[in-house]
C-alpha cells in the first residue's frame, strides 16, 4: 500500500465530508446521541485499514467505504421517518455502488480496470456531483423542515397563548357571571324592598288624601244631620199636636189632614237628607279602601261637585280664615261615564287640594290687594270624550316644574306637606287605568289648569 496515493486522502476527505454532512443534516447528536459518538469517528477506520494494507495485501478502500456507507445507511434507517434521510440515501447510492465496483475491479482485474479507467473516473465525477447536489438538496430540505418546525412551534405557542387567554377569559367570565348573579340577587331583593316601600307610600298617600277628606266630610255630613234633627223635632211637635186634636170631642179633620201632610213632607225630607249623609259616608269608605276595579256608570258632574266641596271644607277646617270662590260649569249633556268612581274621585280630590293650596299660598305670600282665590271646575263632551278642567288663579308653575310634575316623588310643597306621589298616582289612574289623558298648563304667578280626558 502506498501512503502517498492521492486517492487515499481524497477518499478520507470525502468520507469526512459525507459523515459531517449527515450528522448536521440528520442532527444525530440530538436524535441519536449514543450512536453519534461512534458515527463521528468512523473515518478513523481509514487509517486502521491503511495500516493493515501495509502489512497485508488488501484493498482497504473497499472495506473503508463499506464501513462508511454501512454507517450512513444505518443512521438513515434509524431516522427513516425523516424526508432528508431518504434524500441522503438517494445521494449516496450511486457513488457508493460506483466506488465499490471500481475498487473491486481494480483489485481483482487490474488489466480490465486500465481499459475502463477513463469511463470509471468520468462516472465517479458525475456520481460525486450527484452526491454533492443531493446533499445540498437535503440541506435545503432540512432548512425547510426547520422553518416548518419553527412555524409549527410558533403556531403551537400561539395556540398555547390562545388557550391561556381562553382559560383566563373563561375564568374572568365566571367571576363576572358570579358578580352579575350576586348583583341580580341584590337587585331582586332591592326590588322587593322597593315594592314594599312603594306600597307603603301609596298607602300613605291614600291616607293623606283621606285626611284631607276628614274635615270636609265632617262639615258636609253635619248639614244633612242638622236637617234630620230639625225635621225630627218638628215632626214630634206635629205628632203631639195631632194627638191633642184627636183627643178633642170635636175634631178638625182638615187640620188633622194638614198635620199628616206636614209629617209626610218632613219624613221625606228626613229620608232625603239621610240619604245625603249616607252617600257622603259611602264615598268616604270608597275612598279609604281599594276598589274592585270595576267600572260603573258615574255622574261626573255630581262626583266633581262633591269632591270640590269636600276639598274646600277640608282646607277651611285647617285654616278658618281661608275663603275661596268655587266656580262650576257642568255640561248637563255629559250624562254618565263608565269609570272607577273612587279612583277618579281620588284624582279629583288631589287636583282640588292642590288648587286650593296654590291659591292659599298666593294669598299668603303675595298679599295682593283685591285678590280673590278662585277654583273653577268645568266639564264638557268633546270629540266623544269627557273633559274635566280644573283651574285656579294661584301661584302657577314655571316650565321646568311642569315637565316634572307627574314624576314620582316630585313635589313643590315643603318637606312634610307632600309625598310627591299624588300627581304621579293620578297620572297612572287616568292614563293606565282609564285609557285617558291628563295635561297641565300653567303660567308662573297667574294660575294653573289641569285637563283630564276620558273616553265617554
Amino acid at each position: 500500500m502506498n501512503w502517498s496515493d492521492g486517492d487515499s486522502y481524497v477518499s478520507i476527505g470525502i468520507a469526512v465530508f459525507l459523515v459531517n454532512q449527515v450528522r448536521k443534516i440528520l442532527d444525530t447528536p440530538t436524535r441519536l446521541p449514543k450512536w453519534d459518538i461512534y458515527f463521528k469517528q468512523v473515518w478513523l477506520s481509514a487509517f486502521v485499514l491503511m495500516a493493515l494494507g501495509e502489512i497485508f495485501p488488501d484493498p482497504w478502500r473497499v472495506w473503508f467505504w463499506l464501513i462508511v456507507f454501512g454507517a450512513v445507511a444505518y443512521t438513515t434507517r434509524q431516522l427513516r421517518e425523516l424526508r432528508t434521510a431518504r434524500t441522503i440515501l438517494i445521494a449516496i447510492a450511486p457513488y457508493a455502488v460506483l466506488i465499490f465496483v471500481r475498487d473491486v475491479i481494480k483489485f481483482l482485474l487490474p488489466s480490465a480496470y486500465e481499459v475502463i479507467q477513463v469511463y470509471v473516473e468520468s462516472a465517479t465525477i458525475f456520481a460525486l456531483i450527484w452526491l454533492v447536489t443531493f446533499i445540498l438538496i437535503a440541506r435545503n430540505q432540512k432548512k425547510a423542515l426547520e422553518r416548518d418546525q419553527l412555524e409549527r412551534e410558533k403556531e403551537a405557542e400561539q395556540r398555547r397563548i390562545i388557550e391561556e387567554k381562553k382559560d383566563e377569559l373563561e375564568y374572568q367570565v365566571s367571576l363576572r357571571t358570579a358578580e352579575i348573579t350576586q348583583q341580580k340577587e341584590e337587585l331582586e331583593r332591592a326590588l322587593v324592598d322597593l315594592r314594599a316601600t312603594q306600597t307603603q307610600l301609596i298607602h300613605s298617600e291614600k291616607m293623606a288624601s283621606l285626611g284631607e277628606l276628614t274635615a270636609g266630610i265632617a262639615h258636609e255630613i253635619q248639614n244633612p244631620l242638622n236637617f234630620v234633627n230639625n225635621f225630627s223635632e218638628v215632626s214630634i211637635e206635629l205628632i203631639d199636636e195631632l194627638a191633642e186634636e184627636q183627643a178633642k170631642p170635636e175634631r178638625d179633620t182638615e187640620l188633622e189632614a194638614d198635620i199628616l201632610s206636614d209629617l209626610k213632607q218632613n219624613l221625606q225630607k228626613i229620608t232625603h237628607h239621610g240619604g245625603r249623609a249616607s252617600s257622603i259616608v259611602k264615598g268616604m269608605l270608597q275612598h279609604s279602601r281599594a276598589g274592585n276595579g270595576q267600572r260603573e256608570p258615574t255622574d261626573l258632574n255630581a262626583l266633581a261637585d262633591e269632591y270640590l266641596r269636600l276639598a274646600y271644607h277640608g282646607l277651611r277646617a285647617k285654616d278658618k280664615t281661608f275663603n275661596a270662590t268655587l266656580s262650576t260649569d257642568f255640561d248637563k249633556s255629559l250624562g254618565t261615564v263608565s269609570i272607577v268612581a273612587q279612583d277618579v274621585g281620588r284624582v279629583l280630590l288631589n287636583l282640588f287640594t292642590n288648587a286650593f293650596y296654590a291659591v292659599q299660598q298666593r294669598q299668603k305670600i303675595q298679599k295682593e290687594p283685591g285678590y280673590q282665590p278662585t277654583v273653577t271646575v268645568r266639564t264638557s263632551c268633546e270629540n266623544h270624550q269627557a273633559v274635566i278642567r280644573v283651574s285656579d288663579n294661584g301661584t302657577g308653575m314655571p316650565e321646568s316644574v311642569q315637565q316634572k310634575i307627574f314624576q314620582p316623588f316630585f313635589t313643590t310643597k315643603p318637606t312634610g306637606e307632600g309625598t310627591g306621589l299624588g300627581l304621579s298616582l293620578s297620572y297612572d289612574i287616568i292614563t293606565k287605568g282609564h285609557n285617558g289623558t291628563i295635561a297641565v298648563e300653567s303660567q308662573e304667578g297667574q294660575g294653573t289648569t289641569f285637563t283630564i280626558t276620558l273616553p265617554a
Side-chain angles (χ1 to χ4, degrees):
M1 178 67 195
N2 187 2
W3 278 82
S4 63
D5 186 358
D7 288 343
S8 300
Y9 298 107
V10 172
S11 296
I12 295 173
I14 294 174
V16 171
F17 169 78
L18 180 60
V19 170
N20 287 335
Q21 291 300 316
V22 171
R23 291 181 66 240
K24 290 180 179 179
I25 294 172
L26 299 183
D27 195 17
T28 57
T30 302
R31 299 179 185 275
L32 300 171
K34 293 181 179 180
W35 165 248
D36 184 70
I37 296 174
Y38 305 103
F39 182 53
K40 67 181 179 179
Q41 304 297 336
V42 72
W43 59 273
L44 292 176
S45 60
F47 294 100
V48 175
L49 293 173
M50 289 172 63
L52 292 174
E54 294 294 331
I55 302 172
F56 306 101
D58 184 50
W60 70 273
R61 280 196 298 254
V62 176
W63 299 106
F64 172 63
W65 280 110
L66 282 175
I67 293 172
V68 173
F69 295 143
V72 173
Y74 176 80
T75 303
T76 55
R77 184 178 181 281
Q78 294 296 314
L79 302 173
R80 57 182 176 275
E81 73 278 1
L82 297 178
R83 180 183 176 188
T84 50
R86 297 191 295 270
T87 304
I88 288 175
L89 283 178
I90 295 173
I92 294 174
Y95 185 76
V97 172
L98 183 61
I99 291 297
F100 180 76
V101 171
R102 183 197 68 179
D103 289 344
V104 169
I105 294 174
K106 189 175 181 180
F107 179 74
L108 297 178
L109 301 171
S111 58
Y113 176 74
E114 292 178 359
V115 176
I116 62 173
Q117 181 177 2
V118 176
Y119 303 103
V120 171
E121 290 176 354
S122 299
T124 302
I125 294 173
F126 285 111
L128 188 60
I129 294 173
W130 175 279
L131 172 64
V132 173
T133 302
F134 274 86
I135 288 294
L136 294 176
I137 292 174
R139 291 179 64 178
N140 291 333
Q141 287 178 346
K142 180 187 177 183
K143 292 179 181 180
L145 290 174
E146 288 176 347
R147 288 194 297 269
D148 293 342
Q149 180 65 23
L150 184 60
E151 291 179 359
R152 285 195 296 270
E153 289 176 355
K154 289 182 179 180
E155 291 177 358
E157 180 67 16
Q158 291 176 352
R159 285 196 297 270
R160 185 186 63 79
I161 294 173
I162 291 173
E163 288 295 328
E164 290 179 354
K165 292 291 185 182
K166 178 182 176 183
D167 294 339
E168 182 180 356
L169 287 175
E170 288 178 351
Y171 177 70
Q172 292 178 355
V173 168
S174 63
L175 288 180
R176 186 58 179 162
T177 302
E179 292 177 1
I180 292 174
T181 302
Q182 182 179 358
Q183 292 175 358
K184 177 185 175 185
E185 293 174 353
E186 292 175 355
L187 287 175
E188 288 177 348
R189 288 194 295 269
L191 181 60
V192 172
D193 295 340
L194 182 62
R195 286 175 177 171
T197 304
Q198 183 183 27
T199 303
Q200 293 176 356
L201 287 173
I202 292 173
H203 178 70
S204 299
E205 176 64 25
K206 186 170 71 173
M207 296 306 296
S209 62
L210 182 61
E212 297 288 342
L213 276 176
T214 303
I217 288 173
H219 182 278
E220 284 292 299
I221 204 171
Q222 188 64 44
N223 289 331
L225 288 178
N226 288 337
F227 279 113
V228 169
N229 292 333
N230 291 336
F231 283 118
S232 297
E233 292 174 358
V234 172
S235 297
I236 291 173
E237 293 175 357
L238 288 174
I239 291 174
D240 292 341
E241 186 178 346
L242 178 61
E244 291 176 358
E245 186 65 30
Q246 289 178 342
K248 292 179 180 180
E250 294 181 0
R251 299 166 57 181
D252 187 347
T253 55
E254 291 183 359
L255 178 60
E256 291 179 355
D258 289 340
I259 292 173
L260 290 174
S261 176
D262 290 341
L263 281 173
K264 182 178 180 181
Q265 291 177 0
N266 287 350
L267 292 174
Q268 288 175 343
K269 290 179 180 179
I270 289 172
T271 301
H272 170 73
H273 290 291
R276 170 62 180 158
S278 177
S279 67
I280 293 173
V281 173
K282 181 180 178 181
M284 179 184 68
L285 293 175
Q286 285 180 333
H287 185 86
S288 65
R289 64 174 181 263
N292 55 12
Q294 296 296 324
R295 299 189 185 188
E296 297 176 353
T298 304
D299 186 348
L300 275 181
N301 294 335
L303 188 70
D305 185 63
E306 179 178 359
Y307 277 92
L308 175 65
R309 300 187 187 283
L310 289 174
Y312 176 60
H313 290 299
L315 184 57
R316 274 183 52 80
K318 297 179 181 179
D319 184 1
K320 299 294 185 181
T321 64
F322 176 71
N323 288 289
T325 300
L326 308 183
S327 175
T328 57
D329 182 11
F330 296 135
D331 186 353
K332 296 182 180 179
S333 66
L334 185 61
T336 59
V337 180
S338 180
I339 59 172
V340 182
Q342 61 267 36
D343 288 347
V344 175
R346 188 172 291 120
V347 172
L348 292 174
L349 178 63
N350 186 273
L351 296 181
F352 295 149
T353 302
N354 289 343
F356 286 124
Y357 178 83
V359 297
Q360 184 189 39
Q361 291 300 306
R362 181 175 178 181
Q363 187 180 47
K364 286 182 177 179
I365 297 172
Q366 298 183 2
K367 297 180 179 180
E368 304 173 31
Y371 172 71
Q372 178 59 42
T374 304
V375 175
T376 304
V377 184
R378 296 183 177 87
T379 61
S380 60
C381 185
E382 302 174 7
N383 299 323
H384 305 289
Q385 289 182 321
V387 181
I388 306 173
R389 291 184 175 87
V390 179
S391 304
D392 65 71
N393 61 346
T395 54
M397 294 179 289
E399 182 67 27
S400 59
V401 173
Q402 295 180 48
Q403 294 176 356
K404 298 183 286 186
I405 197 68
F406 295 115
Q407 294 179 4
F409 308 110
F410 178 80
T411 179
T412 58
K413 296 179 181 178
T415 303
E417 293 191 21
T419 62
L421 285 174
L423 288 176
S424 174
L425 293 176
S426 299
Y427 183 85
D428 288 343
I429 289 172
I430 296 301
T431 58
K432 298 179 181 178
H434 291 80
N435 297 321
T437 62
I438 180 170
V440 61
E441 295 179 3
S442 182
Q443 286 187 343
E444 192 172 5
Q446 299 297 321
T448 302
T449 298
F450 284 90
T451 303
I452 299 173
T453 59
L454 298 168

